[in-house]
């Protein structure tokens, strides 16, 4: 047994629908990937994608509640298709990209929108706006061998039963294959990496007591509540 100063951290895991656990390595997120959301944020929809990250231990599973985070007064939901990478690769060709996908889940890229706006204005990193504790609730991972590779289908989020966000996976500016191909030019993707693929229009603020229920047709659901 190595002489660790303290016990090594247990891996962060996401449950797999048919049993077993997916050990999370890193969480990559696409900055904007639906034209309508890009427009609502004041951006040109033709901009190439860019990436930011969340720490693996931002992931929250099992529908657990999350506390309203400190240092924000504008805590936003973003429903996203999450891609679970199952096979390592760099410089992956778009035509081969889906071979690297283990499965898919619904997830929430929870965002401190006020800190993000300040960071954008100052040209600063987004880490404290995006990569904070418990900022990535994720549902169960469905293996691609069970559900295929969903290219279209409704992606939606309800808050307290009222629809807030709705879109279609087919409206992604960069599809999953293109996103994997592009991201793998910058970093070597590894089994265990997750990619949150951007959110459709309708992002908005949540408050303590709100119940968030996201669904992606053909993939699954994600649920959390704000306490
Ligand atoms: Mn997002």
């Amino acid at each position: 047994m190595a002489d660790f100063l303290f016990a090594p951290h247990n891996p962060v895991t996401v449950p797999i629908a048919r049993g077993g656990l997916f050990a999370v390595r890193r969480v990559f997120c696409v900055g904007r990937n639906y034209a309508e959301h890009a427009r609502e944020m004041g951006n040109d929809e033709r901009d190439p994608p860019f990436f930011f990250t969340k720490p693996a231990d931002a992931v929250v599973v099992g529908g657990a509640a999350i506390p309203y985070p400190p240092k924000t007064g504008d805590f936003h939901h973003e429903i996203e298709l999450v891609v679970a990478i199952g096979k390592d690769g760099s410089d992956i060709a778009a035509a081969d990209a889906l071979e690297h996908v283990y499965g898919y889940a619904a997830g929430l890229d929870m965002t401190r929108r006020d800190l993000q706006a300040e960071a954008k204005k100052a040209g600063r990193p987004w880490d404290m706006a995006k990569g904070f504790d418990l900022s990535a609730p994720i549902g169960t991972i469905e293996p691609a061998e069970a559900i295929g590779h969903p290219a279209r289908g409704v992606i939606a989020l309800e808050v307290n039963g009222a629809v807030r966000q709705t879109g279609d996976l087919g409206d992604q500016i960069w599809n999953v294959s293109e996103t994997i191909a592009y991201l793998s030019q910058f970093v070597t993707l590894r089994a265990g990496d997750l990619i949150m693929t951007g959110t459709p229009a309708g992002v908005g603020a949540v408050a303590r007591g709100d119940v968030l229920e996201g669904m992606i047709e053909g993939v699954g659901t994600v649920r959390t509540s704000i306490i």
Side-chain angles (χ1 to χ4, degrees), residues 29-31 52 78 80 109 111 130 198-199:
C29 306
V30 181
F52 59 90
E78 298 189 356
E80 312 210 353
D109 168 15
T111 301
K130 290 288 198 177
T199 199

Side-chain angles (χ1 to χ4, degrees), residues 4-173:
F4 290 109
L5 177 61
F6 45 80
H9 308 291
N10 291 324
V12 173
T13 58
V14 179
I16 297 168
R18 58 176 56 177
L21 297 171
F22 183 93
V24 179
R25 188 165 186 272
R26 296 171 294 185
V27 182
F28 296 99
C29 306
V30 181
R32 59 181 77 99
N33 203 21
Y34 291 80
E36 250 187 276
H37 173 62
R39 285 196 290 270
E40 80 178 348
M41 300 302 285
N43 298 294
D44 186 324
E45 65 193 70
R46 288 178 304 276
D47 284 348
F50 63 92
F51 300 95
F52 59 90
T53 60
K54 294 176 185 271
D57 61 8
V59 170
V60 182
V61 298
I66 56 177
Y68 194 96
K71 296 290 185 185
T72 184
D74 199 20
F75 186 37
H76 274 213
H77 53 75
E78 298 189 356
I79 177 73
E80 312 210 353
L81 174 69
V82 181
V83 179
I85 298 294
K87 180 183 162 191
D88 297 2
S90 60
D91 287 318
I92 299 165
D96 302 330
L98 296 182
E99 294 169 19
H100 294 261
V101 176
Y102 172 74
Y104 299 89
L108 292 165
D109 168 15
M110 298 304 294
T111 301
R112 286 163 163 153
R113 193 71 71 202
D114 42 2
L115 296 197
Q116 186 194 27
E118 282 173 28
K120 281 180 177 177
K121 207 164 149 188
R124 289 179 182 152
W126 289 9
D127 299 52
M128 295 301 108
K130 290 288 198 177
F132 52 96
D133 299 344
L134 310 177
S135 59
I138 294 178
T140 303
I141 293 174
E142 288 282 352
E145 65 180 32
I147 64 163
H149 296 277
R152 58 191 63 78
V154 175
I155 175 170
L157 178 78
E158 294 185 356
V159 178
N160 306 325
V163 178
R164 289 275 195 93
Q165 290 189 261
T166 185
D168 193 287
L169 296 178
D171 294 333
Q172 290 194 329
I173 297 169

